[in-house]
Amino acid sequence: MYGDEETIRRIMTELGDTWAVVGLSNNQGRAAYRVAEVLRRFGKRVVPVHPEAETVHGEQGYAALADIPFDVDVVDVFVNSDLAGQVADEAVAKGARAVWFQLGVIDEAAYDRTRAAGLDMVMDRCPAIELNSLR
């Protein structure tokens, strides 16, 4: 388990409401699109990060985390595990407060690096599921 209940609750309720969702596009069949909808329903600002920089759910998209011209609280990662570590490192460089790797996204070295950098981190969990369990 990579993310205890206290860390999950802190990320969801205390660290801020601006979430950059890496891998979010307008493809409604993808989990990222549906999770972004849930995050928005719970009051989170969802910023799409995708190479195509699409506007999703009315929010301007960016090709990379570094392109976002404002602070990001949480970076939610919907990319393959092979790419996730690089995204975690970019989140640290961006000054995010937490990183969240989605279900099936696992990189233990990235988890350790991110935690060592002082960020909260959850791995192999879904925030939409966790939000519903907080209620």
Side-chain angles (χ1 to χ4, degrees), residues 4-99:
D4 59 82
E5 297 303 316
E6 180 182 329
T7 300
I8 290 168
R9 182 172 295 284
R10 185 173 44 254
I11 291 171
M12 294 298 197
T13 64
E14 298 175 21
L15 293 187
D17 291 330
T18 301
W19 286 54
V21 180
V22 178
L24 175 58
S25 71
N26 277 309
N27 183 342
Q28 295 180 20
R30 302 292 307 245
Y33 189 89
R34 293 186 305 276
V35 170
E37 285 181 316
V38 172
L39 290 169
R40 291 184 67 232
R41 276 200 311 271
F42 279 87
K44 308 300 182 188
R45 178 182 184 187
V46 176
V47 180
V49 179
H50 188 279
E52 295 177 18
E54 297 178 284
T55 296
V56 182
H57 297 299
E59 186 75 43
Q60 169 64 49
Y62 298 90
L65 285 172
D67 296 340
I68 300 173
F70 47 83
D71 291 340
V72 169
D73 300 309
V74 181
V75 175
D76 188 7
V77 182
F78 278 93
V79 300
N80 293 331
S81 295
D82 293 346
L83 303 172
Q86 179 181 338
V87 176
D89 295 339
E90 292 169 7
V92 171
K94 175 70 180 157
R97 301 173 73 192
V99 175

Side-chain angles (χ1 to χ4, degrees), residues 73 88 91-93 95-99 111 113-121:
D73 300 309
V92 171
R97 301 173 73 192
V99 175
Y111 181 88
R113 284 194 313 274
T114 303
R115 298 283 298 169
L119 281 69
D120 280 330
M121 181 150 181

